[in-house]
Amino acid sequence: MIAVWIPFLAADLGNFFGGAASGYLIRRGWQLGAARKALVVFGGIGVLLLIPTVYTINLYLITLLFGLATFGYASFPP
């Protein structure tokens, strides 16, 4: 049952993180484009964590990887 709700919770947290992180970087003097690109790179690396799910049968590890991937995907800036 844990495998069902963890990725959705991670996506919700990723939405908040993406907005907060881009705002933080902009307040620190980053250009708008650079702050967004940094989060796109971060999110892209996070989405790559879906690749190892093909090679594992451990449900908890698959859930963790899906959670991290959805967190990364949801943190993409608007």
Side-chain angles (χ1 to χ4, degrees):
M1 199 54 140
I2 191 171
V4 176
W5 61 270
I6 291 291
F8 290 103
L9 179 63
D12 290 340
L13 295 174
N15 283 323
F16 289 115
F17 174 79
S22 64
Y24 174 77
L25 292 175
I26 292 168
R27 280 193 305 276
R28 298 280 301 183
W30 286 44
Q31 296 286 331
L32 177 66
R36 288 184 170 184
K37 287 176 187 172
L39 285 171
V40 167
V41 169
F42 166 77
I45 291 169
V47 171
L48 289 175
L49 291 172
L50 285 176
I51 295 171
T53 60
V54 176
Y55 302 107
T56 185
I57 59 172
N58 184 340
L59 179 62
Y60 295 109
L61 182 58
I62 292 171
T63 303
L64 173 69
L65 293 171
F66 263 87
L68 292 173
T70 56
F71 180 88
Y73 171 76
S75 67
F76 277 30

